[in-house]
Structure formats: structure tokens, C-alpha cells
Amino acid sequence: MHELSIAQGILEVVEEEIKRHHLRNITKIKLKIGELTSVVPEALDFCFSFLVKDTELKDVRLEIEKVPIRGRCLGCGREFSYKDQDFYFLCPYCGSEIELVSGKELYVQEIEGEDG
Ligand SMILES: [Zn+2]
């Protein structure tokens, strides 16, 4: 499952950060997830809970911030956000190509806990 491997990756990052900063009593993990990743937050939350159920992270809450898809025109420089349904690859104003500004994010932004 897509979300299970992502949850595993997140857990690895979190465990590394905990070791590096000697964190204790972790309460919350903040994630940034772009809408282009098609991650379902509920499924990710479920998979993460499953992975940590027998560890000291079992009561940790995932806080997922969705990052909207934004593009910028390489021609006229206009920026715009858009939804999956009307995804387009050319600028609606001048027809030039578009580069992606955001929407592909998938990372741990913050881990809340106490410093050891
Ligand atoms: Zn344009």
C-alpha cells in the first residue's frame, strides 16, 4: 500500500531525529504533504498508528498540513493554484509552459517533544 511505505519512511525520519536531538515524550508530528502526492491523510494516519502501536510513539498524533498545487508560468511569470480536476500544463493567460511551485511536498516539518 502506498501510504504504508510512506508511513515507514516518516517513521525512519522521526526515529533518526529523536536520536539526534535526544527527544523524549513526543506528542505530535507535523507533516507537510502536497496535493500532487495523492496521499490520503486518514490512510497515512492509520498506517502510522499501526507501525507504532507497540512503541513509545503509540500516542503520538500526526498533524497533516496539505500543500495546495501551485504553478508559475515560465512566460509571463503569473502564479496560480489549481485543483486536480483542472490540472493544466500550459499557462491559461499566455499559453507558455508552467513550472511547479508547490504540491509535491512530503516531509516531516516538526516533531514536538522534550529535549533530553
Ligand atoms: Zn503565462
Side-chain angles (χ1 to χ4, degrees):
M1 195 206 267
H2 188 49
E3 276 79 5
L4 186 56
S5 58
I6 292 170
Q8 257 155 356
I10 288 167
L11 183 57
E12 277 168 28
V13 170
V14 168
E15 283 176 335
E16 205 156 284
E17 287 297 303
I18 288 173
K19 258 189 236 161
R20 185 178 304 155
H21 301 289
H22 307 286
L23 298 174
R24 287 178 302 128
N25 301 327
I26 312 298
T27 52
K28 199 193 281 180
I29 297 167
K30 289 188 185 174
L31 305 173
K32 279 222 177 195
I33 297 180
E35 284 181 350
L36 260 186
T37 60
S38 71
V39 170
V40 180
E42 293 75 22
L44 185 61
D45 201 28
F46 177 83
C47 291
F48 190 83
S49 305
F50 173 77
L51 290 175
V52 300
K53 66 178 167 34
D54 296 322
T55 75
E56 59 184 15
L57 295 175
K58 64 179 178 345
D59 295 322
V60 171
R61 277 195 307 123
L62 285 188
E63 193 176 288
I64 297 171
E65 187 187 332
K66 285 278 215 166
V67 183
I69 304 165
R70 289 188 63 80
R72 185 193 298 123
C73 175
L74 294 172
C76 68
R78 273 188 238 238
E79 272 197 33
F80 23 76
S81 53
Y82 35 121
K83 297 182 161 65
D84 292 3
Q85 306 89 282
D86 59 5
F87 197 87
Y88 38 79
F89 294 93
L90 296 175
C91 175
Y93 303 102
C94 73
S96 300
E97 280 187 46
I98 287 167
E99 64 173 347
L100 201 65
V101 178
S102 67
K104 283 166 102 174
E105 293 80 357
L106 212 176
Y107 60 86
V108 178
Q109 190 190 24
E110 197 183 330
I111 300 170
E112 281 189 18
E114 298 165 20
D115 289 330

